[in-house]
Amino acid sequence: MIDDIVASVVRQWQAVHPGLDTGPMELIGRINRCAALLQQAEDAPLRAAGLTRAEFDLLGAMRRTGRELTPGDLARETFSSGAAVTKRLRALQEAGLIARRSDARDRRVVHVGLTDEGRELVDRLLPEQLAYERSVLSGLDEGGRGELSGRLGELLVQLEGRLGGRL
């Protein structure tokens, strides 16, 4: 058995409530703890470039789709609220990484696209970010990473089907 912080918490609960099925806590607790640690560590290459993960996700969505997107499209692509997207887009526009364009047929609709500087930044940062993430995961061998990715993918599909509409 792995003796991590979650195992310690589980032992404490089992001392208070012997026989309690802590299986869900063990899995979800570890997922949450990993997510918290990854967020604390932040993303060194992104931070060095003056970007947050959320801002990079917006830039990445525009780069990988290869077209302009509306703020609503970006909110859906990045699982973010409209207000959060608006705030991030303002910062990215001030940094010269994106440009906004009003729709010719409906002035209420705004299209957002990468500037040349934004495209170049994403293309430069993505390999650096992936190398950073690879180093974060270096404690797992390739087979372990593949198995973990597959299992988390199964969980994600299940959760999106069951909880996706409520989030």
Side-chain angles (χ1 to χ4, degrees), residues 53-87:
R53 167 62 82 157
E55 290 168 339
F56 187 71
D57 286 348
L58 290 174
L59 296 173
M62 286 180 263
R63 183 65 174 120
R64 72 176 182 266
T65 60
R67 61 183 173 85
E68 293 180 323
L69 298 169
T70 66
D73 294 334
L74 286 164
R76 283 185 293 282
E77 284 285 329
T78 60
F79 312 105
S80 301
S81 72
V85 167
T86 298
K87 179 182 174 186

Side-chain angles (χ1 to χ4, degrees), residues 13 15 26 70 78 97-98 117 124 137-138 158:
W13 276 117
E26 293 175 44
T70 66
T78 60
L97 301 174
I98 64 158
E117 184 180 345
R124 178 178 59 80
L137 298 172
S138 65
Q158 262 187 26

Side-chain angles (χ1 to χ4, degrees), residues 22-120:
T22 57
M25 179 187 297
E26 293 175 44
L27 185 56
I28 292 172
R30 286 188 173 100
I31 291 170
N32 286 339
R33 182 71 177 142
C34 286
L37 289 169
L38 289 169
Q39 287 174 348
Q40 281 178 11
E42 292 185 356
D43 300 299
L46 303 182
R47 194 173 57 249
L51 292 175
T52 65
R53 167 62 82 157
E55 290 168 339
F56 187 71
D57 286 348
L58 290 174
L59 296 173
M62 286 180 263
R63 183 65 174 120
R64 72 176 182 266
T65 60
R67 61 183 173 85
E68 293 180 323
L69 298 169
T70 66
D73 294 334
L74 286 164
R76 283 185 293 282
E77 284 285 329
T78 60
F79 312 105
S80 301
S81 72
V85 167
T86 298
K87 179 182 174 186
R88 292 173 191 140
L89 289 176
R90 192 174 309 118
L92 293 170
Q93 185 173 15
E94 289 171 6
L97 301 174
I98 64 158
R100 297 175 193 242
R101 177 184 64 79
S102 294
D103 190 276
R105 289 175 285 165
D106 186 347
R107 292 281 186 208
R108 296 170 297 177
V109 177
V110 174
H111 299 276
V112 183
L114 293 172
T115 61
D116 289 342
E117 184 180 345
R119 187 176 302 101
E120 290 167 10

